[in-house]
Amino acid sequence: MEPVEERFLRYVRINTQSCAGQEAIPSTACQWDLANMLVEELRALGVEDASVDEHCYVMGHIPANLPEGATAPAIGFISHMDTATETSGECVNPRIVENYQGGPIVINEELGMVLDEEHFPTLAKHIGDDLIVTDGTTLLGADNKAGVAEIMSLVEYLHENPDTPHGPLSIGFTPDEEVGRGADLFDVEKFGAELAYTVDGGELGELEYENFNAASAVVKITGKVVHPGSAKNRMRNAALLACEFAALLPATEIPATTEGREGFFHLGSIEGDVATATLDYIIRDHDRERFEERKRIMEQAAALMNARYGCECVELSITDQYYNMKEQILPHMELVDLAREAMEDTGIEPLIIAVRGGTDGARLSYMGLPCPNLCAGCEYAHGPFEHCSVQALQKISNMLVALVQKFVKPVA
């Protein structure tokens, strides 16, 4: 078998960065490069129906291989191909720090960029591991090419070990997850699974069946332009009103001051001048009631601004993105229980957490495909300090092999 880390290194060198604000799916043409490669590799590994559709969704199916008298449900595994938008994903140049023994790792001396345990405490868990790091100028792409590589290693293992018992398996790779559209055109019926997992989590052992409820909010402010010399009681500076709106939201309920199940308002961007200004927010909370309250807080802020200035100068648009998958997973807790067992059987300590984010699985769970999230081994994603452990990639690949066998049951 090809080592999973070699697959991973091959995939991360392909730029698949998505782009927000595009109508088309995929949002970038470069995502086709990895999609087409994966289809070829799947077919070479015996997945005869592997294909990519007109929107860059890759799917394939592996028929059941069950002993006589056994049964198993159709299980799916899904990862996304695109990488995040905050840091360049072009010309990724990874390197491996072999047998890490602690202490700082200089990832880019010229830029003064260092990985150290003070700022990245999970490094302490990787003593003796081989760490894959960036050169400091790009992200790594372990979110989520680690998941892609691990699923492909599962496919290769089953191809080379035809005696391994398993039920029907569905394999899926999606575009545009990082811009919130990975499930938009996902064909659940074509995928054909009864239950599924996304392999898109963080550090080794993460097992997630709770996530944020999520919405995006766009605030558009219209000013009144008057010459500064005669502006008294006439000018309405949209840029200043934007700052005023932001100040109306709770100052301590932002990503930099929250953790665990604490929700937040996140101002992703702000731009403007005297005439117009725009603020882009995301709203997050695990608790559905508190999530709805956060939306009301923003609505009240907009109403207050409009009342204060006596006009409709503030326009607020809120769009729900996804919801906490927990209520969809609870009727199917065997997904979580069997994943925990598979982790323990392969030497992984399960770490069940409420993810402070979302995955394709959150939306797919509400589309009729219960879909908790498994670790992929990625740590500190979306930036140049992203890294992962070779040993984590290997263990997760082994865990997936163990997991598909957990669903095989003798007929009563």
Side-chain angles (χ1 to χ4, degrees), residues 24-327:
I25 298 178
S27 61
T28 53
C30 61
Q31 295 180 68
W32 288 101
D33 296 335
L34 181 56
N36 290 326
M37 174 186 287
L38 291 172
V39 169
E40 291 181 6
E41 292 186 3
L42 285 167
R43 289 174 179 169
L45 294 173
V47 184
E48 297 178 1
D49 71 342
S51 64
V52 57
D53 70 11
E54 67 272 24
H55 295 291
C56 206
Y57 288 80
V58 176
M59 290 188 184
H61 302 86
I62 302 174
N65 180 28
L66 293 169
E68 186 176 353
T71 184
I75 301 297
F77 292 95
I78 302 162
S79 287
H80 65 88
M81 299 176 289
D82 65 316
T83 58
T85 62
E86 297 95 325
T87 306
S88 174
E90 189 173 5
C91 299
V92 173
N93 183 33
R95 68 183 177 95
I96 298 178
V97 179
E98 296 183 351
N99 191 23
Y100 174 64
Q101 291 299 305
I105 301 172
V106 178
I107 61 172
N108 191 306
E109 185 173 5
E110 182 179 350
L111 297 175
M113 300 180 70
V114 178
L115 272 172
D116 58 54
E117 292 180 22
E118 178 183 358
H119 298 97
F120 304 97
T122 58
L123 281 173
K125 299 181 180 181
H126 294 300
I127 302 300
D129 283 2
D130 303 316
L131 295 180
I132 305 174
V133 301
T134 77
D135 67 1
T137 65
T138 70
L139 48 67
L140 179 60
D143 180 12
N144 187 25
K145 290 169 186 171
V148 174
E150 289 151 0
I151 292 173
M152 290 297 294
S153 287
L154 166 66
V155 174
E156 183 178 18
Y157 181 91
L158 297 177
H159 179 66
E160 295 190 358
N161 295 270
D163 294 332
T164 302
H166 61 81
L169 299 179
S170 300
I171 306 298
F173 301 117
T174 64
D176 285 352
E177 189 269 356
E178 294 291 0
V179 294
R181 303 193 65 190
D184 277 14
L185 300 177
F186 190 96
D187 191 334
V188 173
E189 183 176 355
K190 177 182 176 182
F191 192 58
E194 301 169 51
L195 309 163
Y197 297 93
T198 48
V199 186
D200 189 19
E203 67 174 287
L204 184 67
E206 282 190 8
L207 173 54
E208 301 153 343
Y209 64 95
E210 297 182 61
N211 64 280
F212 276 141
N213 296 290
S216 64
V218 179
V219 182
K220 294 184 178 180
I221 298 175
T222 303
K224 180 185 291 185
V225 180
V226 179
H227 189 284
S230 56
K232 186 174 181 180
N233 298 326
R234 298 181 180 89
M235 177 184 286
R236 189 170 63 239
N237 189 326
L240 288 177
L241 266 63
C243 298
E244 189 176 337
F245 181 92
L248 291 173
L249 302 182
T252 59
E253 297 183 18
I254 60 175
T257 60
T258 54
E259 62 183 354
R261 287 181 171 81
E262 297 171 334
F264 56 73
F265 303 89
H266 174 51
L267 178 57
S269 68
I270 181 171
E271 59 182 22
D273 52 26
V274 176
T276 61
T278 302
L279 304 94
D280 287 300
Y281 281 92
I282 61 173
I283 305 167
R284 299 289 188 266
D285 209 294
H286 286 94
D287 182 85
R288 185 63 178 267
E289 290 185 7
R290 180 59 181 157
F291 173 64
E292 298 298 334
E293 176 63 19
R294 290 187 183 281
K295 292 190 286 184
R296 285 192 291 271
I297 289 172
M298 294 201 78
E299 291 167 352
Q300 291 164 1
L304 176 62
M305 293 279 291
N306 287 330
R308 181 177 295 171
Y309 290 97
C311 63
E312 296 297 315
C313 58
V314 177
E315 177 187 347
L316 171 65
S317 175
I318 298 177
T319 303
D320 285 0
Q321 297 172 307
Y322 51 82
Y323 303 108
N324 191 339
M325 72 174 92
K326 181 178 179 180
E327 64 182 77

